[in-house]
Amino acid sequence: MRDKNDNHKILILGGGYAGVMAASRLVINGVRAEITLVDARTELVQRIRLHETLAGSTPKTLPYRLLERKGVRFVQARVESLEPGRRKAVARTAGGERLELEYDTLIYALGSRTASAPMPGAVRLDDPAELRQAYERLQAGNRVLVVGGGLTGIEAATELAERIPGLKVTLATRGRIADGWSTAAAEHFLRRFRELGIELREEISIDNDSQIPFDLCIWAGGFEALPLAREAGLPTDAAGRVRVDDTLRVPGHSEIFVAGDAAVAAGAGGWMIRMGCVSALPMGAHVGENVARVLQSREPKPFPFAIVIRCVSLGRKDGLVQFTAADDAPTGKVWTRRAAAFVKEMICQMTYWVMRGELRLGIRLYHWAGAPKAFGPAVAPAEGRR
């Protein structure tokens, strides 16, 4: 017997944490529709482990064929443009074929990318293949400059300094290394830098005329949204992130939901949710649940979200866990050293295994602070999606 939604087209743009989690929840809810996920790669790369790739590791990836086994069509192509008026996205395959992908419901989850570097030849922590090449280059040179004092820069600098003997690491930032963290956290960051011999340059501007000598520059100057949404006329902020309502739906476009770094969303009380895996996974799951609700003729639910901790690795043997209020403001409590490194590693492993587990088992495994049981039990999977 055919379902009324059998011919409904759901298009997911982006196969990162948010896109994969959205697809997972559509499957778990037994959504009977034509679901298509589009990404330029063939597998999900763990972005939170790319600094480890730079230091010579090969983190696990999640092949998109797991989605296809559950009835989700995968298209390997790079999205070039979006046409909301025609409910269509244009993408291009690696071979140059132009694809026009129609949708009735769009889940926009194209995430973010590392901001462009003003220094020619600088390596950004985006592409695993480029990072593996950079690792080989690090064996020949002994001076590496990491630009950016956020978590990406801190993790990259400490990982390299700990794991590659003889490497001289300098971290440069236009701000202070621990802006927005507690005093205890700031003290531990500086202590760990001293232990690893990392030179710290704070409150300086880095460009092509920089006087800091290096053999390789790693650019970690923050994230930026892709320009597609703004070019398509969707409401965006100054950074190009799509403005959404409390259900993660685009105002004026009831057929479009946005999840992950591509969305600018507010937490309870109006504080702005920051980019990162910590928000991409719950946003993706919530959007998948909400699309399922809409197709079942029910109202979408507001996105409930709270922060409990921030965590950062400082090499394999050290880390820092900063406890926070629900609005991400740091408290005075921190964990450090091996206990914090263990927590960070367990969280990184969890993000991978819950996604893989949900796709293989067809049950909800991932929950988040603020919404441990937001949607109740899932309906039975639709035939063909087990």
Side-chain angles (χ1 to χ4, degrees), residues 151 179-182 265 267-276 278-279 305-311 321-333 369:
L151 296 189
D179 283 349
W181 294 74
S182 67
W271 60 281
M272 303 314 295
I273 298 172
R274 57 183 162 89
M275 292 180 176
V278 66
S279 54
F305 184 67
I307 296 289
V308 178
I309 59 172
R310 305 178 198 169
C311 55
V321 173
Q322 169 75 71
F323 288 81
T324 70
D327 64 354
D328 204 20
T331 66
K333 183 178 180 180

Side-chain angles (χ1 to χ4, degrees), residues 19 29 40 71 96 105 125 137 143 147-150 161-162 175 226 229 239 281 293 305 334 353 371:
N29 277 282
T105 298
L125 279 84
R137 291 171 59 189
R143 300 174 302 177
V147 180
E162 181 187 271
L226 300 178
L281 280 169
R293 290 181 66 87
F305 184 67
V334 299
W353 289 110

Side-chain angles (χ1 to χ4, degrees), residues 96-164:
E97 180 184 1
R98 185 178 184 274
L99 305 176
E100 291 194 355
L101 304 166
E102 298 179 344
Y103 63 85
D104 297 299
T105 298
L106 176 68
I107 297 176
Y108 187 91
L110 285 174
S112 64
R113 62 189 177 190
T114 305
S116 298
M119 306 174 70
V123 175
R124 298 188 291 180
L125 279 84
D126 287 330
D127 183 357
E130 183 180 4
L131 295 178
R132 285 190 287 270
Q133 293 175 0
Y135 171 70
E136 296 301 324
R137 291 171 59 189
L138 287 170
Q139 310 311 302
N142 63 0
R143 300 174 302 177
V144 60
L145 171 64
V146 179
V147 180
L151 296 189
T152 303
I154 291 171
E155 290 192 333
T158 52
E159 194 81 19
L160 291 173
E162 181 187 271
R163 295 180 57 187
I164 303 180

Side-chain angles (χ1 to χ4, degrees), residues 221-273:
F223 299 136
E224 63 183 11
L226 300 178
L228 295 177
R230 178 181 292 152
E231 293 169 353
L234 296 181
T236 60
D237 68 359
R241 302 168 73 192
V242 183
R243 298 187 184 278
V244 294
D245 63 18
D246 62 355
T247 69
L248 304 183
R249 197 182 230 173
V250 180
H253 294 273
S254 61
E255 77 284 2
I256 302 178
F257 290 81
V258 187
D261 287 1
V264 53
W271 60 281
M272 303 314 295
I273 298 172

Side-chain angles (χ1 to χ4, degrees), residues 216-370:
L216 181 67
C217 175
I218 307 300
W219 188 263
F223 299 136
E224 63 183 11
L226 300 178
L228 295 177
R230 178 181 292 152
E231 293 169 353
L234 296 181
T236 60
D237 68 359
R241 302 168 73 192
V242 183
R243 298 187 184 278
V244 294
D245 63 18
D246 62 355
T247 69
L248 304 183
R249 197 182 230 173
V250 180
H253 294 273
S254 61
E255 77 284 2
I256 302 178
F257 290 81
V258 187
D261 287 1
V264 53
W271 60 281
M272 303 314 295
I273 298 172
R274 57 183 162 89
M275 292 180 176
C277 173
V278 66
S279 54
L281 280 169
M283 279 187 180
H286 191 82
V287 161
E289 301 279 2
N290 267 349
V291 170
R293 290 181 66 87
V294 169
L295 293 182
Q296 295 161 0
S297 300
R298 296 189 291 166
E299 287 297 313
K301 287 188 174 184
F303 176 52
F305 184 67
I307 296 289
V308 178
I309 59 172
R310 305 178 198 169
C311 55
V312 54
S313 68
L314 301 172
R316 297 298 86 202
K317 301 174 184 177
D318 199 350
L320 188 142
V321 173
Q322 169 75 71
F323 288 81
T324 70
D327 64 354
D328 204 20
T331 66
K333 183 178 180 180
V334 299
W335 288 350
T336 61
R337 300 300 186 183
R338 290 190 180 273
F342 176 79
V343 170
K344 169 69 174 180
E345 177 61 24
M346 290 302 98
I347 290 174
C348 289
Q349 289 199 27
M350 178 274 294
T351 62
Y352 175 83
W353 289 110
V354 295
M355 286 188 293
R356 188 179 184 90
E358 285 205 2
L359 290 173
R360 290 177 67 90
L361 301 175
I363 58 176
R364 292 184 183 91
L365 296 175
Y366 178 72
H367 302 286
W368 62 94

